[in-house]
Amino acid sequence: MSYDQNNIFAKILRNEIPCKRINEDAHYLAFHDIHPKAPIHVLVIPKGHYINAQDFHRNASPEEITGFYKGLAAVAENLNIQEGFRLISNCGLNGGQEVPHYHMHILGGRQLGPMLAA
Ligand code: 5GP
C-alpha cells in the first residue's frame, strides 16, 4: 500500500483545508479532532508521509521519530490534562483507522473508562 497524497491529513498539512491548529514544528502538527470523543481530543501527526504507526516506526528517521514524540509530549504537557489521558493510534483495517496518515489521538478531560467498549 502506498501513501495516498489526497488523504485528509495530507490536505491539512498542505493548508488546503483548515484545522484548529494547536502547535507545530518541523516534525509534527497538532490540531483538534473535528468530532471530539472527549472534552479534549487532539490529533498529532508527523510532517512526513507515513501511512500508519507501523510504517512510521519502521521507516521514519531517528530524527523524525524523536521530533514527533517530543512534540507529542510537549502538546500533552500544555493541554492541562495532568490528571491523566489516553494515547491511541488506530492501525489498519482491524484497528479501525480511517485516515491513512499516521496520527496519535490524545484524549482526556474526563475519566475515560475501559480501554475498549466491547
Ligand atoms: P482514525 O479513525 O483514523 O484513527 O482517526 C481519524 C480521526 O480524524 C477521527 O477521530 C476523525 O474525527 C478525525 N478527522 C477526520 N476528518 C477530519 C478533518 O477534516 N479535520 C479534523 N480536524 N479531524 C478530522
Side-chain angles (χ1 to χ4, degrees), residues 19-112:
C19 69
K20 280 174 70 183
R21 197 169 295 249
I22 295 171
N23 209 353
E24 68 181 308
D25 73 5
H27 293 296
Y28 78 92
L29 169 65
F31 53 98
H32 293 278
D33 196 291
I34 203 166
H35 295 127
K37 303 279 195 301
I40 290 172
H41 188 172
V42 167
L43 299 169
V44 185
I45 69 175
K47 293 268 172 102
H49 290 169
Y50 299 98
I51 297 170
N52 56 31
Q54 193 68 350
D55 185 22
F56 184 67
H57 297 145
R58 286 178 69 93
N59 299 317
S61 69
E63 291 74 20
E64 288 175 297
I65 292 172
T66 302
F68 175 78
Y69 284 105
K70 292 287 188 189
L72 178 70
V75 171
E77 189 76 30
N78 289 320
L79 286 175
N80 206 19
I81 46 176
Q82 295 87 344
E83 289 188 2
F85 58 92
R86 185 170 292 164
L87 300 178
I88 296 177
S89 185
N90 299 316
C91 186
L93 200 58
N94 279 2
Q97 183 178 3
E98 293 169 16
V99 180
H101 180 111
Y102 173 52
H103 52 281
M104 191 71 85
H105 298 255
I106 305 177
L107 294 146
R110 65 167 167 83
Q111 167 54 247
L112 293 168

